Amino acid sequence: MNKIALYSLLFSSIWCYSQKKVLQARSTSQSISIDGKLDEPAWENAAIATDFVMLDPDNGKPIPDTKKTEIKVLYNNDAIYIGAMMYDDEPDKILKEISQRDNFGTADLFGAFINGFNDGQQDFMFYVTASDVQADCIITDANGEDYSWDAVWISKASITDKGWIVEMKIPYSALRFSADNKQTWGINFFREIKRQRYKYTWNFVDRKLGTFTQQTGALEGIENIKPPTRLFLMPYASYYLNAGEGQKTYGTMKGGMDIKYGINDAFTLDAILVPDFGQTKYDDQILNLGPFEQQFNENRAFFTEGTDLFSKGNMFYSRRIGGKPSIDPELNDNEEIIENVQNVNLINALKVSGRTKGGLGVGILNAITEKTYATIKDTITGETRQAIVEPLTNYNVLVLDQRFRKNSSVTFINTNVTRNFHFRDANVTGIAWDLNTKANTYSLFGNAKYSVINDTEDKKGIFTTVSFAETSGNYRYSVGTDFVSKNFDPNDLGINFYTNYYNFYGNANYRILNPTKLFNSFRIDYNMYSEFNKESGKVQDNRISAEVNLSTIKNNYYGAGFNIFPLESHDYYEPRAADRYVIIPKKIDFWATVSTNYNHKFALDLNPSISIADQSGRMAYGVDIGPRYRFSDKLLLTYTFSYLKRNNNKGYIDGYDDDNNESTPEVVVFANRDVITYSNTLNGKYALNSTMTLNLAVRQYWSYAENKQAMELESNGTLTPYPEYTENKNSSFYSWNADLSYSWWFAPGSQLSVLYRNSASNFERIIDKDFKNNVTALLTNDALKHVFSVSVKYFIDYNAVKNKIRNRA
């Protein structure tokens, strides 16, 4: 009888949790004050969402009564209001570190996830920490969470003797939904108890399934709402004071405006007029010895906010817009470039994005950069002239993304770059697909792209990829293949390094979905990868790898793995000459990672690695050490030291034609070298309150490559000594960056930021191995460049202004 009762209870629990929960929103005409108290009468009669279920680590376990969570939702013609009561029988243990916006820190957390179309494809996530800090993002199953998206909304958190409370006002302008009179939205609520690292959701999210966004509950009851006009203006003003050795200190004023306009309930126009990116984070430049450019993160808000549609097909690299000039000017004898720009100025940019009720997403992005010149001087006559390094250029991206069956999509993407006059133009067209079975157990993913370059010599190329995966359960796997033609080139508005190959790859993995006596999480992966040159059939890459990642019941994280390259491979890129390759020896890599629980005041990240090649003396080893200390809920310091040494590394240093024998191929010179890299970074945060922070970011970097022997690349890919080459091609690059900033969100969507930045860098062929000298050489008035800037942006809501004028009339 007891067994029957137990089975009945278990079945009832599973059946209950597997159903889509429904919450009724209540209309209100009362004024709701966002003060974290929930004391207005309208809250008393609102329906309650409760009975939360654990997401992680013990998926499916009900929340205990001592941590009961109750959520209510109200709405009017302007916004929805969410009130959350998170009970806690130990309120003095609630963690509440104050962090910057979009950074949770070490704090308890509440979140509301909203899908206005209830199509299981994309959620708008709104978070508030127990320290009253906001975070927001967009999430899709394909791309995960995108915290570059920022909405304007109001919230307040407060801690009581029973737990803590969150009150939110989310304007309809921050959401996307249809124009139906009766709305049904997908919704879920989230709570994390940070001291235990326990995460709960209102509607059960089954981790056995390979989807998060399709496991929401439903919000009903929103009817006959009349959303206001979505028109927002964000004017800004900035002042920059620049100083440095050899230049007169000067100041610059800038002003401009961002505009957001709701074309209809689903589509939004974003535009920037006279953009200013002077306070974006500095780039972490490195000593780049490889054949490809260094890829940088995008730090400009316009190109990161709400750009999930434009990431489809991996065809858009926004740093191309306003990046380095694309043209190298031709120099006559006795000429040199005396002035050139690092980045082309952006004139303006706009984007339109949204999704119809039928699931068709449309994204259009357009940007124009100005005509740019370099100044060239004749070293004999002293005369100067200007040469175009970038013509007036138009960049355009078009995306059409059709969703269906709530978990699948087919996407059309086109990128186009048109340069004025006779300069190079580029066009890339692609189709991407993400198809999932109804039960979200299997997935077919891929894309096909076609590039066309119109230049002095036209080029056309293709790229295709397809993969199949099992996406649910403890055991999962995936297999796939790529094919890339030699002339595929998306790099005018995208980024792609490798061409002219085909490959095959696979993965098998196992994970636990519920904790054990030892582990909160455990996953082991096995991977295989093989790549071949399309024309010669030679192996370009091959590896077998395995790794394990786990977290203990004390919330410490550990990982370890290895990569085995069992065959020699042929690198067609490092020689930087057509149809030439260098043989890369067999090797094996080992790595490990340790990350202790960040809930403790002191925590440590440790990442050692070693690589051993099947070649005498050729190996690499390194370590990253990152201690962090939280002095209080306001003050946090993190430090990272990185060291990497590559012994007897083989790499390209020069190439030229043999003047004595025109029939022989280009002479390609490599070096047997030691490459050593040091990096020190320090980050600090002091929060005065939840809207005001002081931030420190310092990075010191030094890397040098010391050539021990010149070597000639033979036609069979081997390297032989080349004593005739005596030119000094050693490399030493060192840099310093320091940012001290103050940020104050003085009103919703409005920010005052003050930044002091100093920076310096130097590249030399003569290597000074004294670490102290390389650091202090940059910390002088002769080397440092200084920038002090103040920027204010103000958020203006057209409706708020209209209502104020109406009330005064």
Side-chain angles (χ1 to χ4, degrees), residues 688-695 741-754 791-793:
L688 287 80
N689 53 48
S690 61
T691 61
M692 195 180 300
T693 56
L694 287 167
N695 305 289
S741 62
Y742 166 80
S743 175
W744 176 29
W745 292 90
F746 58 88
S750 303
Q751 183 184 26
L752 167 67
S753 55
V754 181
S791 181
V792 180
K793 67 175 183 179

Side-chain angles (χ1 to χ4, degrees), residues 236 254-258 270-278 280 298 300-304 316 318-325 341-351 365-372 390-396 493:
Y236 77 86
K254 293 184 178 181
M257 183 182 294
D258 293 356
D270 293 84
I272 50 175
L273 307 177
V274 193
D276 175 26
F277 302 124
T280 55
E298 179 58 84
R300 299 170 296 178
F302 177 84
F303 293 106
T304 60
F316 178 47
S318 58
R319 288 296 295 262
R320 297 294 185 206
I321 302 174
K324 291 183 177 181
V341 298
Q342 295 299 314
N343 296 287
V344 179
N345 287 333
L346 177 65
I347 298 175
N348 55 50
L350 64 84
K351 58 188 176 187
L365 185 146
N366 182 266
I368 300 174
T369 57
E370 70 179 13
K371 190 176 184 180
T372 306
E390 188 68 34
L392 183 71
T393 304
N394 183 83
Y395 299 87
N396 193 73
L493 197 44

Side-chain angles (χ1 to χ4, degrees), residues 341-591:
V341 298
Q342 295 299 314
N343 296 287
V344 179
N345 287 333
L346 177 65
I347 298 175
N348 55 50
L350 64 84
K351 58 188 176 187
V352 176
S353 61
R355 191 172 295 276
T356 68
K357 182 181 177 181
L360 177 63
V362 179
I364 300 172
L365 185 146
N366 182 266
I368 300 174
T369 57
E370 70 179 13
K371 190 176 184 180
T372 306
Y373 296 89
T375 302
I376 298 172
K377 179 180 179 180
D378 188 308
T379 57
I380 296 177
T381 66
E383 294 181 353
T384 62
R385 64 181 178 91
Q386 289 191 320
I388 294 176
V389 291
E390 188 68 34
L392 183 71
T393 304
N394 183 83
Y395 299 87
N396 193 73
V397 183
L398 170 66
V399 181
L400 302 174
D401 178 58
Q402 179 62 58
R403 294 176 179 169
F404 55 94
R405 210 171 55 201
K406 292 191 175 184
N407 67 351
S408 300
S409 65
V410 174
T411 310
F412 170 85
I413 317 104
N414 177 263
T415 66
N416 181 273
V417 178
T418 303
R419 295 182 173 90
N420 204 11
F421 303 120
H422 58 276
F423 297 100
R424 167 181 167 128
D425 296 330
N427 190 85
V428 183
T429 301
I431 296 176
W433 57 89
D434 183 7
L435 310 176
N436 297 272
T437 58
K438 186 176 182 180
N440 289 298
T441 52
Y442 296 96
S443 172
L444 181 66
F445 173 88
N447 59 66
K449 310 167 194 176
Y450 178 66
S451 67
V452 178
I453 304 297
N454 299 122
D455 202 354
T456 53
E457 181 179 346
D458 293 349
K459 292 195 305 180
K460 299 177 181 180
I462 60 173
F463 178 108
T464 60
T465 180
V466 62
S467 63
F468 176 80
E470 182 179 4
T471 56
S472 66
N474 298 84
Y475 296 92
R476 305 184 190 188
Y477 66 88
S478 64
V479 293
T481 182
D482 302 338
F483 175 89
V484 188
S485 69
K486 188 173 185 177
N487 289 328
F488 177 71
D489 186 358
N491 290 306
D492 290 78
L493 197 44
I495 189 164
N496 181 76
F497 296 145
Y498 300 97
T499 61
N500 200 34
Y501 72 89
Y502 59 93
N503 64 26
F504 305 96
Y505 48 88
N507 166 272
N509 63 78
Y510 168 80
R511 71 196 71 191
I512 63 172
L513 300 175
N514 296 91
T516 67
K517 292 181 179 180
L518 297 176
F519 307 125
N520 276 338
S521 65
F522 179 91
R523 173 170 170 165
I524 186 168
D525 283 79
Y526 174 79
N527 304 281
M528 296 186 66
Y529 181 87
S530 296
E531 180 181 302
F532 305 90
N533 183 272
K534 184 176 71 69
E535 295 177 349
S536 69
K538 294 183 182 295
V539 175
Q540 287 192 174
D541 195 359
N542 68 104
R543 60 181 177 269
I544 300 170
S545 64
E547 63 182 78
V548 59
N549 293 278
L550 61 91
S551 63
T552 68
I553 57 174
K554 293 185 177 181
N555 292 309
N556 296 315
Y557 291 82
Y558 301 92
F562 65 85
N563 299 294
I564 299 176
F565 299 79
L567 303 174
E568 289 184 339
S569 58
H570 303 76
D571 186 344
Y572 281 83
Y573 310 100
E574 183 63 20
R576 306 169 208 198
D579 302 319
R580 301 291 297 276
Y581 61 86
V582 62
I583 294 176
I584 305 299
K586 295 176 284 185
K587 66 173 183 174
I588 184 169
D589 303 336
F590 297 96
W591 60 269

Side-chain angles (χ1 to χ4, degrees), residues 159-198:
I159 296 178
T160 71
D161 58 354
K162 295 181 180 179
W164 64 293
I165 297 173
V166 168
E167 196 167 14
M168 294 179 174
K169 178 184 178 181
I170 304 176
Y172 295 130
S173 58
L175 303 169
R176 302 290 182 271
F177 51 89
S178 70
D180 294 348
N181 288 333
K182 289 188 176 182
Q183 299 281 329
T184 298
W185 293 357
I187 198 163
N188 213 343
F189 304 107
F190 173 88
R191 178 184 181 183
E192 181 177 10
I193 302 172
K194 195 69 174 184
R195 64 183 181 273
Q196 299 171 314
R197 296 286 184 95
Y198 286 176

Side-chain angles (χ1 to χ4, degrees), residues 27-288:
S27 175
T28 182
S29 59
Q30 296 179 15
S31 176
I32 305 297
S33 177
I34 307 302
D35 53 13
K37 295 180 180 179
L38 304 181
D39 54 0
E40 290 86 0
W43 290 112
E44 295 179 2
N45 298 319
I48 300 175
T50 188
D51 298 328
F52 276 54
V53 185
M54 188 175 287
L55 170 67
D56 187 63
D58 199 354
N59 191 225
K61 183 178 179 180
I63 196 169
D65 290 338
T66 56
K67 304 296 187 298
K68 182 174 63 173
T69 306
E70 296 180 342
I71 316 297
K72 299 178 180 180
V73 176
L74 304 174
Y75 75 95
N76 57 22
N77 279 337
D78 299 319
I80 66 166
Y81 300 82
I82 298 174
M85 178 68 217
M86 277 73 65
Y87 290 91
D88 196 316
D89 57 333
E90 298 176 300
D92 57 318
K93 293 185 178 180
I94 294 174
L95 294 177
K96 51 185 184 301
E97 180 192 357
I98 306 174
S99 58
Q100 300 179 65
R101 183 187 173 113
D102 287 339
N103 186 336
F104 299 145
T106 305
D108 279 33
L109 188 64
F110 169 76
F113 310 156
I114 300 173
N115 182 329
F117 292 98
N118 194 28
D119 61 2
Q121 293 280 339
Q122 176 179 269
D123 288 352
F124 292 81
M125 293 182 156
F126 302 87
Y127 292 99
V128 181
T129 72
S131 56
D132 198 32
V133 175
Q134 286 187 352
D136 45 24
C137 70
I138 295 174
I139 183 175
T140 62
D141 285 337
N143 298 320
E145 297 174 336
D146 176 13
Y147 284 93
S148 65
W149 177 80
D150 286 319
V152 178
W153 49 291
I154 304 172
S155 63
K156 182 63 180 177
S158 61
I159 296 178
T160 71
D161 58 354
K162 295 181 180 179
W164 64 293
I165 297 173
V166 168
E167 196 167 14
M168 294 179 174
K169 178 184 178 181
I170 304 176
Y172 295 130
S173 58
L175 303 169
R176 302 290 182 271
F177 51 89
S178 70
D180 294 348
N181 288 333
K182 289 188 176 182
Q183 299 281 329
T184 298
W185 293 357
I187 198 163
N188 213 343
F189 304 107
F190 173 88
R191 178 184 181 183
E192 181 177 10
I193 302 172
K194 195 69 174 184
R195 64 183 181 273
Q196 299 171 314
R197 296 286 184 95
Y198 286 176
K199 300 176 182 179
Y200 297 91
T201 57
W202 169 60
N203 199 77
F204 176 49
V205 177
D206 190 347
R207 291 181 58 211
K208 290 193 298 292
L209 302 179
T211 177
F212 183 90
T213 59
Q214 295 167 50
Q215 301 190 66
T216 62
L219 180 68
E220 298 180 346
I222 298 179
E223 299 180 359
N224 302 315
I225 57 176
K226 298 178 180 179
T229 302
R230 293 189 292 123
L231 174 60
F232 310 109
L233 307 177
M234 283 161 282
Y236 77 86
S238 303
Y239 178 75
Y240 294 87
L241 185 64
N242 299 268
E245 179 65 19
Q247 68 177 36
K248 183 179 179 181
T249 300
Y250 66 95
T252 304
M253 281 289 297
K254 293 184 178 181
M257 183 182 294
D258 293 356
I259 300 172
K260 291 181 181 289
Y261 175 64
I263 300 172
N264 54 34
D265 292 336
F267 288 89
T268 301
L269 166 70
D270 293 84
I272 50 175
L273 307 177
V274 193
D276 175 26
F277 302 124
Q279 289 194 339
T280 55
K281 183 184 181 298
Y282 56 79
D283 291 323
D284 293 339
Q285 290 185 312
I286 63 171
L287 174 63
N288 186 5

Side-chain angles (χ1 to χ4, degrees), residues 744-773:
W744 176 29
W745 292 90
F746 58 88
S750 303
Q751 183 184 26
L752 167 67
S753 55
V754 181
L755 171 67
Y756 168 68
R757 168 175 293 168
N758 63 48
S759 60
S761 63
N762 194 23
F763 177 84
E764 295 177 335
R765 293 296 185 187
I766 305 299
I767 299 174
D768 181 356
K769 295 185 180 180
D770 189 308
F771 183 86
K772 180 180 178 181
N773 289 344

